[in-house]
Coordinates of all heavy atoms in Angstrom, one line a residue:
A463 N -24.8 -11.1 31.0 CA -25.5 -10.0 31.6 C -26.3 -10.4 32.9 O -26.4 -9.7 33.8 CB -26.4 -9.3 30.6
L464 N -26.9 -11.6 32.8 CA -27.7 -12.1 33.9 C -26.6 -12.3 35.1 O -27.0 -12.0 36.2 CB -28.4 -13.4 33.7 CG -29.5 -13.4 32.6 CD1 -30.1 -14.8 32.3 CD2 -30.4 -12.3 32.7
I465 N -25.5 -12.8 34.8 CA -24.6 -13.2 35.8 C -24.2 -11.9 36.5 O -23.9 -11.8 37.8 CB -23.4 -13.9 35.2 CG1 -23.8 -15.2 34.7 CG2 -22.2 -14.1 36.1 CD1 -22.7 -16.0 33.7
L466 N -23.8 -10.9 35.6 CA -23.3 -9.6 36.2 C -24.5 -8.9 37.0 O -24.1 -8.3 38.1 CB -22.8 -8.7 35.1 CG -21.7 -9.2 34.1 CD1 -21.2 -8.1 33.2 CD2 -20.6 -9.7 35.0
S467 N -25.6 -9.0 36.5 CA -26.7 -8.4 37.2 C -27.0 -9.0 38.6 O -27.0 -8.3 39.7 CB -28.0 -8.7 36.4 OG -29.2 -8.1 37.0
A468 N -26.6 -10.3 38.7 CA -26.7 -10.9 40.1 C -25.6 -10.4 41.0 O -25.8 -10.2 42.1 CB -26.8 -12.5 40.0
L469 N -24.4 -10.5 40.3 CA -23.2 -10.1 41.1 C -23.3 -8.6 41.6 O -23.0 -8.3 42.9 CB -22.0 -10.2 40.2 CG -21.6 -11.6 39.8 CD1 -20.3 -11.5 38.9 CD2 -21.4 -12.5 41.1
K470 N -23.8 -7.8 40.7 CA -23.9 -6.4 41.2 C -25.1 -6.2 42.3 O -24.9 -5.5 43.4 CB -24.4 -5.3 40.1 CG -23.2 -5.0 39.1 CD -23.7 -4.0 38.1 CE -22.6 -3.4 37.3 NZ -23.0 -2.3 36.6
A471 N -26.0 -6.9 42.2 CA -27.2 -7.0 43.2 C -26.7 -7.4 44.6 O -27.1 -7.0 45.5 CB -28.4 -7.8 42.7
K472 N -25.8 -8.4 44.5 CA -25.4 -9.0 45.7 C -24.1 -8.4 46.3 O -23.5 -8.8 47.2 CB -25.1 -10.5 45.4 CG -26.4 -11.3 45.2 CD -26.1 -12.8 45.0 CE -27.5 -13.5 44.6 NZ -27.2 -15.0 44.5
G473 N -23.5 -7.3 45.4 CA -22.3 -6.7 45.9 C -21.1 -7.5 45.8 O -20.1 -7.3 46.6
I474 N -21.1 -8.4 44.8 CA -20.0 -9.3 44.7 C -19.0 -8.7 43.7 O -19.4 -8.6 42.5 CB -20.3 -10.6 44.2 CG1 -21.2 -11.4 45.3 CG2 -19.1 -11.5 44.0 CD1 -21.8 -12.8 45.0
P475 N -17.8 -8.3 44.0 CA -16.9 -7.7 43.1 C -16.5 -8.8 42.0 O -16.4 -9.9 42.2 CB -15.7 -7.3 43.9 CG -15.8 -8.2 45.0 CD -17.2 -8.5 45.3
Y476 N -16.2 -8.2 40.7 CA -15.7 -9.2 39.7 C -14.8 -8.3 38.7 O -14.7 -7.1 38.8 CB -16.9 -9.7 39.0 CG -17.7 -8.7 38.2 CD1 -17.4 -8.3 36.9 CD2 -18.8 -8.1 38.8 CE1 -18.1 -7.4 36.3 CE2 -19.6 -7.1 38.1 CZ -19.2 -6.7 36.8 OH -20.1 -5.9 36.1
N477 N -14.3 -8.9 37.9 CA -13.5 -8.4 36.7 C -13.7 -9.4 35.5 O -13.9 -10.4 35.6 CB -12.1 -8.1 37.1 CG -11.4 -9.4 37.5 OD1 -11.1 -10.3 36.6 ND2 -10.8 -9.4 38.8
P478 N -13.3 -8.8 34.3 CA -13.5 -9.7 33.1 C -12.8 -10.9 33.2 O -13.3 -11.9 32.7 CB -13.0 -8.7 32.0 CG -13.1 -7.3 32.5 CD -12.9 -7.4 33.9
S479 N -11.5 -10.9 33.8 CA -10.8 -12.3 33.8 C -11.5 -13.2 34.6 O -11.6 -14.4 34.3 CB -9.3 -12.0 34.3 OG -8.8 -13.1 34.6
L480 N -12.1 -12.8 35.7 CA -12.7 -13.6 36.7 C -14.0 -14.2 35.9 O -14.3 -15.4 36.2 CB -13.0 -12.9 37.8 CG -13.8 -13.8 39.0 CD1 -12.9 -14.9 39.4 CD2 -14.1 -12.9 40.3
I481 N -14.8 -13.3 35.3 CA -16.0 -13.8 34.6 C -15.6 -14.9 33.5 O -16.4 -15.9 33.4 CB -16.6 -12.6 34.0 CG1 -17.1 -11.6 35.0 CG2 -17.8 -13.1 33.1 CD1 -18.1 -12.2 36.0
K482 N -14.5 -14.7 32.8 CA -14.1 -15.6 31.9 C -13.8 -16.9 32.5 O -14.2 -18.1 31.9 CB -13.0 -15.1 31.0 CG -12.6 -15.9 29.8 CD -11.6 -15.3 28.9 CE -11.2 -16.3 27.7 NZ -10.2 -15.6 26.9
K483 N -13.2 -16.9 33.4 CA -12.8 -18.3 34.2 C -14.0 -18.9 34.7 O -14.1 -20.1 34.6 CB -11.8 -17.9 35.4 CG -10.4 -17.5 35.0 CD -9.6 -17.4 36.3 CE -8.2 -16.8 36.1 NZ -8.2 -15.4 36.0
A484 N -15.1 -18.0 35.2 CA -16.1 -18.7 35.8 C -17.0 -19.3 34.7 O -17.4 -20.5 35.0 CB -17.0 -17.6 36.5

Side-chain angles (χ1 to χ4, degrees):
L464 301 180
I465 296 170
L466 302 188
S467 182
L469 296 180
K470 280 193 174 186
K472 296 181 179 185
I474 299 174
Y476 66 88
N477 58 64
S479 171
L480 181 59
I481 297 301
K482 185 174 182 179
K483 290 188 185 79

